[in-house]
Amino acid sequence: ERPSVKVPGYVGAVMDTRTVNRGNLVDERSMIFRYKASKVSELKFQIAQVEIAGIYVQPGDKVKKGELLAELNMEYIEEERKAVEEEIRKSELEIRHLENLCDIESDETLCKDYAGRIDYLEEAMEISLLRVKELKEQEEKGKIYADRDGIVTKVADDEMQGISDTINPVVVLENENKYFTGTFEGDVFLKKGDRIELFQGEKVVMVEVVSVKEKKGTTTVKAVPISTAEAEIEFATYTWENGILENVLYVHEDAVIH
């Protein structure tokens, strides 16, 4: 700990001194790149407060479009749907039976009775078919499917915490084609196809530049990681030499200037 000297109204401290130098320096420029996915989905059930039957993925899993990721316990809806479908099947059998009887029955009064019964059954079937459609739609609302090929990055509840048996979970799905974007006030001597290294501490990601756009003095660079396994960095720095600064005054980077 450095000693301090107390002066009325002031506090003094012993400080290191640095020498001002003159010479040539490398002009280094840096650009911060931030990691993004080309598209992110937060997939949820469309029905809440229903017991979860199963969550079939975890962070890091690769999935295909249309793959079932999670589902609710919809047994009560499935049972009702099957019961209604069975009633429809029985009605269809009875209608065919009555139509056969009409073909062989010579009594017109009985045929009219059969026809009336057929009309009643057909009307009831229309209502039942609509009910089956509604139940199937409810069953689908209790399932989460992948909306594209991608990687599961998070499985959590609505508040992005843990999950329970009844809280509506969220499955976060990202495209595999992840990329980094960086902006710089000025010109950047990069072009499409260049391969550069991005650094975050000791972590290094090799990326390939896919686009360089300049607008109103600001350059935006987009790059994709060459190895997806190395892309688990939220942000990283690209540093390059922009020439030599000749005959300049400079001090140590830790110097305090007044």
Side-chain angles (χ1 to χ4, degrees):
E1 185 175 337
R2 300 183 185 279
S4 62
V5 180
K6 205 159 190 182
V7 179
Y10 299 92
V11 176
V14 177
M15 302 184 68
D16 291 337
T17 59
R18 301 291 182 180
T19 304
V20 177
N21 301 291
R22 180 180 290 277
N24 298 338
L25 292 176
V26 175
D27 181 16
E28 285 192 343
R29 305 290 175 89
S30 295
M31 177 167 45
I32 301 298
F33 279 80
R34 297 192 179 279
Y35 160 84
K36 293 183 178 179
S38 59
K39 192 172 182 182
V40 178
S41 294
E42 291 187 0
L43 308 174
K44 303 179 182 180
F45 294 120
Q46 298 179 55
I47 301 176
Q49 303 303 321
V50 178
E51 182 184 1
I52 297 172
I55 297 175
Y56 309 122
V57 292
Q58 58 186 356
D61 287 351
K62 291 185 178 182
V63 297
K64 296 291 185 181
K65 182 177 180 180
E67 184 175 335
L68 180 62
L69 309 181
E71 62 182 330
L72 298 175
N73 184 352
M74 307 296 283
E75 287 185 3
Y76 68 101
I77 291 180
E78 183 181 359
E79 289 173 359
E80 181 182 351
R81 175 180 56 78
K82 288 181 177 179
V84 176
E85 288 174 337
E86 179 62 19
E87 289 298 321
I88 293 172
R89 189 188 68 81
K90 290 179 179 179
S91 295
E92 289 174 337
L93 290 174
E94 185 176 353
I95 287 172
R96 285 200 292 270
H97 176 65
L98 292 172
E99 288 174 340
N100 290 334
L101 288 177
C102 270
D103 290 339
I104 61 175
E105 182 59 60
S106 58
D107 189 330
E108 292 186 2
T109 302
L110 281 176
C111 277
K112 286 182 179 180
D113 290 341
Y114 295 156
R117 175 63 178 171
I118 289 172
D119 289 341
Y120 169 80
L121 290 171
E122 287 177 340
E123 289 178 4
M125 281 177 58
E126 288 182 11
I127 295 173
S128 296
L129 287 169
L130 288 174
R131 181 57 180 162
V132 168
K133 183 180 178 181
E134 291 174 356
L135 293 169
K136 284 183 176 180
E137 289 174 351
Q138 288 186 46
E139 284 183 277
E140 287 304 302
K141 289 179 179 179
K143 297 178 181 179
I144 296 177
Y145 294 98
D147 61 352
R148 74 181 69 85
D149 294 353
I151 298 175
V152 177
T153 58
K154 186 174 290 186
V155 179
D157 65 17
D158 284 327
E159 302 299 326
M160 290 299 178
Q161 304 297 319
I163 55 175
S164 69
D165 289 340
T166 56
I167 294 178
N168 189 5
V170 178
V171 178
V172 180
L173 181 63
E174 295 183 0
N175 276 18
E176 284 194 69
N177 50 326
K178 304 168 182 179
Y179 62 92
F180 289 87
T181 56
T183 57
F184 183 78
E185 297 293 331
D187 294 329
V188 178
F189 298 101
L190 290 173
K191 62 183 183 301
K192 183 178 179 180
D194 285 349
R195 293 191 172 189
I196 58 176
E197 290 182 331
L198 305 183
F199 292 86
Q200 185 191 58
E202 295 181 355
K203 294 182 179 179
V204 181
V205 179
M206 178 68 74
V207 299
E208 181 173 324
V209 176
V210 294
S211 68
V212 180
K213 296 180 180 179
E214 192 276 331
K215 185 176 181 181
K216 295 181 179 180
T218 299
T219 304
T220 301
V221 180
K222 182 176 178 179
V224 296
I226 295 172
S227 171
T228 55
E230 295 177 335
E232 303 305 321
I233 296 178
E234 293 185 6
F235 63 90
T237 303
Y238 169 59
T239 302
W240 71 98
E241 294 184 4
N242 194 51
I244 301 295
L245 299 174
E246 296 183 352
N247 195 29
V248 295
L249 294 174
Y250 63 92
V251 294
H252 192 275
E253 62 182 358
D254 294 331
V256 178
I257 299 174
H258 296 281

